[in-house]
């Protein structure tokens, strides 16, 4: 068997699964988005009418704006923490490095459902430990599930979940830096801070770009955390709190499957455009 034919044989199972589990459902959703179900007349072809309606939908715009604000609040904090942890672990000055690394990464191994339920209990205004400590010491405690604090509370949950994941990516990138650079820097008299600023941070730019790209995609797909906290704060988190939650509610509660498919495709288009712009700007800066 030739190498070309052998390569095709090995790739074929992946391509088949990719076609069945990704492209086929995606194509079917695109097909559904071109139709509309009416009480009288049944399902009829409407072309791009669902997309035009979605573009002017104020609930969808509010959801997209809210996750964009979530991205601005949460991602910088998460990546700065991940960067600091990675640099601290790579410095060699920290004791019990493996234990600390595992402890920081461990929250990522906790399912998001479990993490949200756990933090929801901690946030609870009547039964949560924060509220109980506040009452015990007669101290005012913020309403973490209130309208003003809900977005920071969600940001805290996601930061707790994914800081360790991003830290591992950055830490792995630090391990690929040639040790000769450190030796040359030591000969020149560079201290730890100078090494971090002049060697480590520039070498981390591709890894930081990758983690930031993942964060863009994850932020605009925010669903599990607000969906679960909606049970604790239904007056704050409505059915359109995030774009993903809005599409889910349209499909499974409102039975507007066709319109939900159009909303989902528009959200995917927003993610693709933002990701492309970000990658374009990052690549352009590196080539200068």
């Amino acid at each position: 068997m030739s190498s070309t034919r052998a390569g095709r044989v090995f790739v074929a199972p992946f391509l088949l699964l990719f076609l069945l589990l990704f492209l086929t459902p995606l194509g079917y959703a695109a097909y559904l988005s071109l139709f509309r179900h009416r009480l009288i007349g049944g399902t009829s072809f409407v072309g791009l009418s669902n997309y035009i309606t979605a573009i002017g939908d104020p609930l969808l715009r509010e959801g997209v704006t809210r996750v964009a604000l979530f991205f601005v609040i949460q991602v910088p904090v998460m990546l700065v923490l991940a960067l600091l942890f990675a640099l601290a672990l790579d410095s060699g000055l920290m004791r019990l490095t493996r234990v600390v690394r595992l402890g920081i990464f461990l929250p990522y191994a906790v399912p998001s459902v479990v993490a949200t339920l756990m933090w929801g209990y901690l946030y609870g205004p009547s039964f949560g430990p924060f509220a109980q400590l506040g009452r015990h010491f007669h101290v005012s405690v913020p309403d973490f599930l209130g309208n003003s604090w809900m977005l920071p509370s969600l940001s805290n949950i996601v930061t707790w979940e994914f800081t360790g994941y991003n830290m591992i990516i950055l830490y792995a990138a630090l391990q690929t830096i040639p040790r000769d650079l450190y030796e040359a820097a030591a000969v020149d008299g560079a201290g730890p801070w100078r090494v971090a600023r002049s060697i480590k941070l520039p070498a981390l730019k591709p890894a930081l770009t990758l983690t930031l790209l993942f964060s863009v995609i994850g932020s605009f797909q925010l669903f599990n955390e607000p969906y679960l906290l909606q049970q604790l704060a239904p007056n704050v988190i409505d059915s359109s709190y995030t774009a993903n939650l809005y599409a889910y509610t349209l499909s499974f509660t409102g039975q507007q499957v066709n319109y939900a498919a159009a909303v989902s495709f528009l959200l995917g288009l927003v993610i693709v455009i933002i990701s492309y712009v970000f990658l374009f700007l990052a690549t352009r800066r590196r080539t200068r």
Side-chain angles (χ1 to χ4, degrees), residues 25-26 28-38 43-44 46 50-51 54 246-265:
L26 196 64
Y28 182 61
Y31 170 79
L32 289 177
S33 69
L34 302 177
F35 291 82
R36 181 178 297 165
H37 181 76
R38 295 184 173 90
T43 302
S44 58
V46 294
N50 286 328
Y51 292 93
Y246 183 46
Y248 172 86
T249 304
L250 285 172
S251 179
F252 293 97
T253 303
Q255 301 301 315
Q256 302 181 53
V257 178
N258 306 103
Y259 184 54
V263 168
S264 300
F265 264 87

Side-chain angles (χ1 to χ4, degrees), residues 123 140 144 180 206 223:
Y123 290 150
S140 177
F144 295 108
D180 296 344
F223 176 78

Side-chain angles (χ1 to χ4, degrees), residues 2-279:
S2 64
S3 58
T4 303
R5 186 178 179 184
R8 291 174 180 174
V9 170
F10 282 110
V11 172
F14 166 77
L15 292 179
L16 180 62
L17 291 176
F18 183 75
L19 174 64
L20 293 177
L21 301 180
F22 183 77
L23 293 183
T24 301
L26 196 64
Y28 182 61
Y31 170 79
L32 289 177
S33 69
L34 302 177
F35 291 82
R36 181 178 297 165
H37 181 76
R38 295 184 173 90
L39 294 177
I40 299 176
T43 302
S44 58
F45 178 79
V46 294
L48 299 178
S49 178
N50 286 328
Y51 292 93
I52 296 173
T53 303
I55 292 174
D57 192 338
L59 295 179
L60 178 60
R61 287 201 302 267
E62 289 176 6
V64 172
T65 302
R66 189 173 288 110
V67 293
L69 180 60
F70 170 86
F71 171 81
V72 172
I73 293 174
Q74 185 265 331
V75 171
V77 175
M78 177 183 66
L79 292 186
V80 167
L81 288 175
L83 177 61
L84 292 177
F85 287 139
L87 290 174
L89 290 171
D90 186 68
S91 67
L93 302 177
M94 184 178 293
R95 296 182 180 180
L96 301 175
T97 303
R98 293 183 179 179
V99 176
V100 174
R101 186 170 68 234
L102 178 61
I104 298 172
F105 180 76
L106 190 59
Y108 178 70
V110 177
S112 60
V113 173
V114 177
T116 305
L117 292 175
M118 179 188 71
W119 279 101
Y121 165 74
L122 295 175
Y123 290 150
S126 56
F127 51 80
F130 296 141
Q132 294 181 22
L133 288 173
R135 287 193 294 269
H136 179 75
F137 292 103
H138 304 287
V139 177
S140 177
V141 176
D143 184 7
F144 295 108
L145 298 178
N147 189 49
S148 301
W149 280 88
M150 181 56 71
L151 211 58
S153 297
L154 288 170
S155 301
N156 176 65
I157 297 174
V158 177
T159 299
W160 184 82
E161 290 178 297
F162 289 97
T163 296
Y165 170 79
N166 290 288
M167 181 269 296
I168 288 296
I169 294 177
L170 298 177
Y171 180 73
L174 287 172
Q175 300 305 298
T176 63
I177 299 176
R179 298 297 161 182
D180 296 344
L181 294 178
Y182 296 147
E183 295 175 0
V187 171
D188 291 338
W193 291 107
R194 182 62 184 275
V195 169
R197 186 172 67 252
S198 302
I199 297 178
K200 294 184 178 181
L201 290 180
L204 282 177
K205 286 182 180 179
L208 284 171
T209 301
L210 179 65
T211 55
L212 193 52
L213 178 62
F214 287 164
S215 299
V216 170
I217 298 172
S219 296
F220 281 88
Q221 291 181 340
L222 185 66
F223 176 78
N224 285 340
E225 291 79 7
Y227 176 73
L228 292 171
L229 288 185
Q230 187 180 32
Q231 314 302 318
L232 299 177
N235 296 328
V236 178
I237 300 181
D238 54 19
S239 59
S240 60
Y241 193 79
T242 68
N244 254 357
L245 186 58
Y246 183 46
Y248 172 86
T249 304
L250 285 172
S251 179
F252 293 97
T253 303
Q255 301 301 315
Q256 302 181 53
V257 178
N258 306 103
Y259 184 54
V263 168
S264 300
F265 264 87
L266 277 181
L267 177 61
L269 181 62
V270 170
I271 295 174
V272 169
I273 292 174
I274 294 177
S275 300
Y276 175 79
V277 171
F278 169 74
L279 284 177

